[in-house]
Structure formats: structure tokens, C-alpha cells
């Protein structure tokens, strides 16, 4: 490894500034998947890659690959990347940090005159945040041939047009996704490493700049749960005659929270969130609620934990329904499996962090990321978290450049070794 | 008492049919307070009173008095009455039954050639259901000089116009209410008796046609409760870092429900209802709720029970706020005191029911009624419940005419004795 090999953090800083300036929406940044903001971001990064003289290509899903060629191009390559889209009125770092980390690493290699043995590719992935409506990561899963074809017809709520329409509009090829064509062959990728802000408060609270992720969580979701009881007069209906949907849901939520507390005490990682709870339009002052809706998000890095949680959910629902004379309907169920990150790759990155004297924490991820698609395709995948401030998916989202620089330095250290091997 | 003295149930039936026919809205009946449906009902009942040759007058609040004159007009009179308005898309019996009971009683007296010693007045009260927005019973409290003047400026949500405006539009005199003028002097009223459907399911479930009310409940209300926590990413925020407003409210509601269950086991009457629970617009899938709103309706026939319930509410809120790092704001607080009905009057009515062989139950009321205004003015007041089916404030509301006839027969029996005394 060249001793003068350092990531070009100034380049990353320049790109962060340009991204914020060009995609600021008055409140936060908006880089909508397969939309204007994402296009701006891709153009900005592409111009920088051209200046660096990287090889540039775009696949049928619109992902961009910016490659520093290795001396032996037949060797499986290293991919450093993340997504360039954002949620509406989001922060500047969620996604972009991972792409600009890759740019800083290869720019540093170029400047140090370092030529890797194998290709090092920076990948700017499409539509990770689109996942909220474009279910299933059309960017990363599209490249890997694992995108569920039925999701191509999901409509984007703000435009009322399908994912397929939006992809085609920009000149990409949704038919390739439908056919499950693979732009990336797993055997041709030695490692996928994604730097990302943590999104949660753990690293910031514990004053650790960098995290190394053990696993991405699986989830089980109920997008639309409905508790049905009986509408009654709130004064004239004694307790014994009630079938109060709201109190049934309160009991369910509180007892599930107590179950979670017990698992937490055992040290089992899990999060449970009733994201929305709403009595229906029929509700009003003076009425016992006959109906209430909710949505429930359960995530854990272990499949067994999700199974335990859902066994408890079913037990509670059966017990509460019988005791209170109400019924629960669970609609819009979704599930994904937890995905462990590659242990060897994590250990190699940990050694690099240690060699550079960078404090780090081994931790599970709370959110889902493109890295899951790579790991599920059999590619060794790793995620490096950077501590962030004020949460994510909010204009208040923040990240210190010195923390980004530290994590990027560790990745550069690892990459120089791995790309030379 | 004339042995052939029977209430004219056929007259009441005719009026019930005419009321339903003329105020049916396609779903239920709508007789909006100081609005079209209430006006139609007053005109129908007035026409019947004219046919019966009753003395008719209307007070400054629009209440109508239809009097069968007694031989000694200086004696305090008996009032039989209730309200003629309804909730939107309500049932035909809630309110009207008490007025038509009075009409059946005096018509029966007329037909039997029975002349009472004291006046017997049927009172058709205004705007009892208007209470949901025209706070404070403008009809009965208006007549008694106890209507809170500030409530005259409350706006009716569907028209956007004030109570004062609506009263004046029909030729009534809100200034008299503002000044607290008394149309009814308490010393000039010997008794107020109100027949009303029960509104709850107790009599129907216990197969008893008639109830005699011990007390009208007091209430303590929170029209707009807000729990504030912290918005966070539902995947990336571990349990220890959360301030989940929805789970805080679920704990509050469930533990308050458990407290209520314990009081119920002690035999203490009380009802507790979270009428609405709603996460705010900012909520969405993937977020820990940082805010949730609720409304809370607590009613009991004993002041001490309300005090116990609110002591528990304050204890729970303090404990949960501290434990979860959330805050509770309790806005739109309202309170009314429980109002006992007159024990002697109830006993006299009970004896009449017994004399007529009518099964009955001594019970508290769950809902508030105009009778509270009379009792609080010092007038001996009683309420007679008739069992009903399918609840109240719904188009499904029902009442069997035989049950109405039985309760009206008991009231006729009592009234003949009381009016002769």
C-alpha cells in the first residue's frame, strides 16, 4: 500500500455542497427516485468521475458505475457505493455519503498514483428511498436480477404513474428487470462496501464515530390493522356492555410493549412501532369507538426474534378479542428476512479501523439498505455506519465531516489492501 | 282518580309517525336544534295541542308550554316534558318520547273528563342535543335563567353561525338568556317528570321495560389531549432512545381501564371513554410517533368517583411522563357535577308503577338530560327510562310502543294523584 494514500475528503466536501445547493427544496433536500433531484445528483457525480478519468457506465435500472480499472480486469471487482436519491425534504447525507465516500477513495488512489490489481467501482444506486412506494429496491435488486417484477406496476403516489413508467421516461429498461436479467454477476464481485449514516442515535450518544454492521434487520409489517368493536353511547353504556375498539388496541399495544421490554432485558435486539393509530371518521365526542386502525412495524436482526414477536402478537390478539368481544383484521402484511453482513469482510474493515486508530462499534442496523440485496445474492457485503445527529429522513439530519473522513480513511485502508490482493 | 283515566297512546303513535315522516333525512331523522327539523316537530305538536284545546305559550328560548289548566291556578304546576330536537341522522324517540308521553297523559285526562287541581303542562324543550355544540342546554337552562351567557356566541359547526344568531333568526330572545331572566320560577313548579329512552343497553338486556333514575351523571371531559414525545426512525432508534407518544398513550389508556375495572369490581358506577385517538398528520409508516391526540369522557353519578378517577389520571400521567420522557397537555377541559333526582318523587313514581304491575329498575342515568337543569334549580325532578334497542344517536335506535305505553301509564297514574293533591 502506498503510504501517501489518503481519501480526497475535499472532493467529497465539494460534492456534498453542490448536492445540497442544487437539490435544496426550501426546507430540506429532495432527490426523488427516478425524478428530477436524483437526476441532478447523478449528473453532478458523473461530471466529477469524468474529471477523474474513471470508466463510466449505466445499467438498465439506471445505476451508474464509475470504475478505476485494475491491472487484472478478470478479477472480481470491489464495489463501494450507496444510493443518491433521498426522501422528500430529507437530509443531504442519507445515501449520498456512501457514494461520495467511494469517490473520495478512488480519487485518493488516482492522486497517489495507486493502481489496484482488481477494478474498484463506485456505484451510485437508484431509488433506495423509493422503496417506500417502489417496493423492493429497484436499483440494487434490478442490477442483481432479484427485483420482484410485480412491483414495476406500483404507482408513485405523487405522480400517479407506475415505477415502470418513471424508469422508461428516463431511458432505462424495466423489461430487463421483469426478465430478471443480471447486470452484476455475483461471482464477478469480490466485495460490496456501503458507508451510510447510522440513522439512529446510538453512535452519537455513545460518542463513537463509526459502526460496523452485523446484520440488516428483517421486518414484519402490518400496513393496515383494524380493530372492530361496537359503537355505543359513551355515557349510557356500562362497562359490561362495551366492545371498545380503542381500549382493546390500547391493551394490545401496551402489552406488546411490555413483551418488548422483557426481550430488551434479555438483550435481544428488536424494535416495535405503532406508526399510526387512528379512530375512524365515525368517531366523535360522546361515542364509544367501534373501530380504530393502526399500522405496526416490527424489525429484528434475527428471524427467531421476529417469530417470537409474532407468536406473542397472535396470542395477545386471540386473548384480547375473546375477552373484549372485538375482532382484529391484519391487512397489508409485508415481511423481509434479516440479512447478516459478511463476517470476514467486517473483521477486515475492523482491523483497518484499528490500524488507523478509529474508535468503532460492532452493531446491528435498524434500517434496511441496498447491502441486503448484495448479501442475498451471495456477494460478501459490509456496511460502515457514520454517527449522525438529529435523526434521518428529516431536514435536521446532520453528520460531522471529521467522522465521515475517519470512516472513509478506514475504508481506504481496507480497500487498498483488498484491491491489491 | 277517574278509573277510566288512560293515556292516549294512539295519539302518541300518530305523532311519532308524523314526526318520522316529516323529519326523515334518508338515513335517520334530523331535527336540528333551532333549525328546520326542530321547527317541524314543534309545529306538529302544537297543532295537536290546539286540537286538544290546551293553553299554548312559548318562552324567550323557544320552549313551548301546552297546559291543561287546573282548578286552582295559583298552585305550583306539574311539568311533563323533554326535548324535540335530535342529533343528525338520529332516531325518532330520543327526546320526542318524553313530549309525546306528556301529550298522551293530558289527552287522556281530557278524554276522561278529568280536571286537575293544579296545572299540568307539557313542555317541549329546545336544543337538548344542541348541547354537543350549543354547550349548556339553552332550552331548559334558558327557561330557568341558568344558561351560561358566554355560550350564546358558540358557533354551530355546520352553519358557522352563533347560537344567538340561530335563536334570533326564529324570533326568540337571546338577550333574556344573557340577562339570566327566569321564565320558570322554581317555586311555581311542583314537579318535573321526563320520560326518555334509556340510551344504554341495560333494561333491554335485563328484560325490564322501565327504569327510575337515581341520578344524572357528572362528567369531566378533556376535549383535546395531546401527548408529545419525539419523532424518530422506526428501524434505527433502539428502545432506550425512544419517546414514543403512541405507546405512552396506550399505557395511559390501558392502565386507566384497569383502574376502572377495579372500581367496577367494587360496585362503583363510572364510565371512561377515549372517544378519539389520532396520530397527527406528521405520522407515517417508518416513524416513531412524536405526537398523538385523544379525547377523554369520564362520567359518574357521584362527585367522589369523578375525583378518584381524576386523581388516578393525574398520577398515571405524572408517572408515564417521567418514565417515558413525554409530556401530556390537557386542553378543552369541561366539568359538570352529578345531579341526584328527587327521592320522594321517584318513590311516588315507583309506587304507581307497582300499582300498575309494571316491572321496573332503579338505576343511574349514563347520559345527561334536561332534568338536571330543573333539579339544580331546586325543582323536584324525576326521570323515567324506557328500554330501547340498538342504542341511541343512531338511525337504528328503537323502542317498543308497549314499553312506552307501560311507562306512560305509570306516569299517568302518578300524575292524576299528584295533580289532584
Amino acid at each position: 500500500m502506498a503510504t501517501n494514500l489518503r481519501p480526497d475528503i475535499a472532493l467529497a466536501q465539494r460534492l456534498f455542497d453542490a448536492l445540497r445547493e442544487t437539490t435544496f427544496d426550501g426546507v430540506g433536500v429532495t432527490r426523488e427516485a427516478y425524478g428530477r433531484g436524483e437526476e441532478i445528483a447523478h449528473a453532478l457525480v458523473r461530471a466529477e468521475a469524468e474529471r477523474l478519468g474513471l470508466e463510466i457506465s449505466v445499467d438498465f435500472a439506471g445505476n451508474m458505475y464509475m470504475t478505476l480499472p485494475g491491472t487484472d480486469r478478470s478479477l472480481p471487482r470491489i464495489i463501494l457505493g450507496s444510493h443518491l436519491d433521498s426522501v422528500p425534504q430529507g437530509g443531504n447525507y442519507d445515501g449520498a455519503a456512501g457514494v461520495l465516500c467511494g469517490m473520495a477513495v478512488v480519487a485518493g488512489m488516482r492522486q497517489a498514483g495507486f493502481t489496484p490489481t482488481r477494478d474498484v467501482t463506485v456505484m451510485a444506486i437508484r431509488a433506495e428511498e423509493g422503496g417506500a412506494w417502489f417496493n423492493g429496491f429497484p436499483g440494487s435488486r434490478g442490477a442483481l436480477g432479484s427485483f420482484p417484477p410485480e412491483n414495476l406496476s406500483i404507482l408513485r403516489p405523487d405522480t400517479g404513474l407506475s415505477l415502470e413508467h418513471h424508469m422508461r421516461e428516463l431511458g432505462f429498461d424495466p423489461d430487463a428487470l421483469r426478465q430478471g436479467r443480471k447486470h452484476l454477476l455475483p461471482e464477478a464481485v469480490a466485495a460490496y462496501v456501503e458507508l451510510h449514516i447510522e440513522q439512529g442515535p446510538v453512535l452519537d450518544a455513545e460518542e463513537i464515530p463509526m459502526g460496523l454492521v452485523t446484520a440488516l434487520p428483517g421486518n414484519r409489517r402490518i400496513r393496515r390493522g383494524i380493530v372492530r368493536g361496537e359503537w355505543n353511547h359513551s355515557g349510557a353504556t356500562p362497562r359490561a356492555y362495551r366492545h371498545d375498539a380503542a381500549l382493546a388496541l390500547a391493551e394490545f399495544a401496551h402489552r406488546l410493549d411490555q413483551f418488548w421490554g422483557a426481550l430488551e432485558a434479555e438483550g435481544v435486539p428488536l424494535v416495535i412501532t405503532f406508526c399510526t393509530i387512528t379512530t375512524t371518521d365515525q368517531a366523535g365526542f360522546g361515542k364509544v369507538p367501534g373501530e380504530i386502525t393502526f399500522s405496526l412495524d416490527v424489525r429484528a436482526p434475527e428471524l427467531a426474534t421476529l417469530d417470537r414477536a409474532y407468536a406473542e402478537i397472535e396470542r395477545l390478539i386471540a386473548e384480547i378479542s375473546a375477552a373484549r368481544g372485538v375482532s382484529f383484521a391484519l391487512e397489508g402484511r409485508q415481511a423481509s428476512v434479516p440479512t447478516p453482513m459478511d463476517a470476514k469482510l467486517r473483521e477486515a474493515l475492523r482491523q483497518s479501523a484499528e490500524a488507523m486508530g478509529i474508535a468503532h462499534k460492532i452493531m446491528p442496523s435498524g434500517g434496511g439498505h441496498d447491502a441486503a440485496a448484495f448479501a442475498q445474492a451471495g456477494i460478501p457485503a459490509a456496511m460502515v455506519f457514520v454517527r449522525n445527529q438529529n435523526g434521518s429522513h428529516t431536514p435536521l439530519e446532520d453528520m460531522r465531516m471529521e467522522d465521515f473522513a475517519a470512516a472513509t480513511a478506514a475504508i481506504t485502508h481496507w480497500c487498498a489492501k483488498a484491491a491489491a490482493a
Side-chain angles (χ1 to χ4, degrees), chain A residues 107-187:
Chain A
M109 287 177 168
R110 266 275 190 259
Q111 289 151 16
F114 174 90
T115 303
T117 313
R118 63 184 75 234
D119 286 7
V120 178
T121 297
V122 182
M123 182 174 175
I125 299 174
R126 291 273 176 176
E128 195 266 351
E129 300 294 359
W133 55 88
F134 294 166
N135 238 318
F137 301 97
S140 50
R141 289 198 187 283
L144 292 157
S146 61
F147 187 69
E150 64 274 18
N151 292 357
L152 285 166
S153 48
I154 290 177
L155 304 182
R156 201 170 114 171
D158 58 338
T159 64
L161 299 167
S162 67
L163 169 57
E164 176 164 2
H165 175 98
H166 283 287
M167 292 182 78
R168 215 181 285 283
E169 196 176 48
L170 296 181
F172 307 129
D173 180 11
D175 293 331
L177 275 76
R178 183 172 289 110
Q179 294 153 14
R181 277 169 52 199
K182 291 183 181 16
H183 180 85
L184 286 176
L185 297 175
E187 58 272 25

Side-chain angles (χ1 to χ4, degrees), chain A residues 148-333:
Chain A
E150 64 274 18
N151 292 357
L152 285 166
S153 48
I154 290 177
L155 304 182
R156 201 170 114 171
D158 58 338
T159 64
L161 299 167
S162 67
L163 169 57
E164 176 164 2
H165 175 98
H166 283 287
M167 292 182 78
R168 215 181 285 283
E169 196 176 48
L170 296 181
F172 307 129
D173 180 11
D175 293 331
L177 275 76
R178 183 172 289 110
Q179 294 153 14
R181 277 169 52 199
K182 291 183 181 16
H183 180 85
L184 286 176
L185 297 175
E187 58 272 25
V189 184
Y192 171 80
V193 175
E194 179 170 0
L195 174 146
H196 201 283
I197 61 166
E198 181 205 344
Q199 299 189 281
V202 177
L203 292 173
D204 194 50
E206 299 187 7
E207 301 184 0
I208 301 170
M210 171 177 162
L212 288 161
V213 174
T214 53
L216 302 185
N219 63 55
R220 300 254 175 96
R221 294 172 171 179
I222 297 166
R223 288 273 180 176
R224 185 174 155 77
I226 307 158
V227 188
R228 293 192 178 91
E230 196 175 285
W231 296 100
N232 277 305
H233 188 291
S234 73
T237 314
R239 185 176 174 87
Y241 293 92
R242 292 184 178 219
H243 306 282
D244 183 329
L247 285 181
L249 180 58
E251 178 176 0
F252 173 55
H254 182 52
R255 291 178 64 187
L256 189 59
D257 186 33
Q258 290 178 312
F259 162 84
W260 177 21
L263 257 66
E264 177 86 0
E266 285 179 32
V268 178
L270 169 70
V271 288
I272 295 179
T273 313
F274 286 83
C275 301
T276 58
I277 293 181
T278 311
T279 44
T280 54
D281 289 346
Q282 216 187 320
F285 206 89
K287 289 191 201 176
V288 179
E291 192 170 321
I292 193 166
T293 64
F294 65 95
S295 59
L296 179 60
D297 184 13
V298 178
R299 308 194 200 193
E302 299 285 341
L303 192 60
T305 310
L306 292 175
D307 287 342
R308 273 179 83 178
Y310 267 75
E312 178 68 7
I313 285 169
E314 277 166 31
R315 198 184 71 75
L316 285 172
I317 284 179
E319 187 187 320
I320 292 168
S321 299
R324 293 184 176 265
V326 300
S327 67
F328 283 70
L330 309 180
E331 299 175 0
R333 294 183 76 151

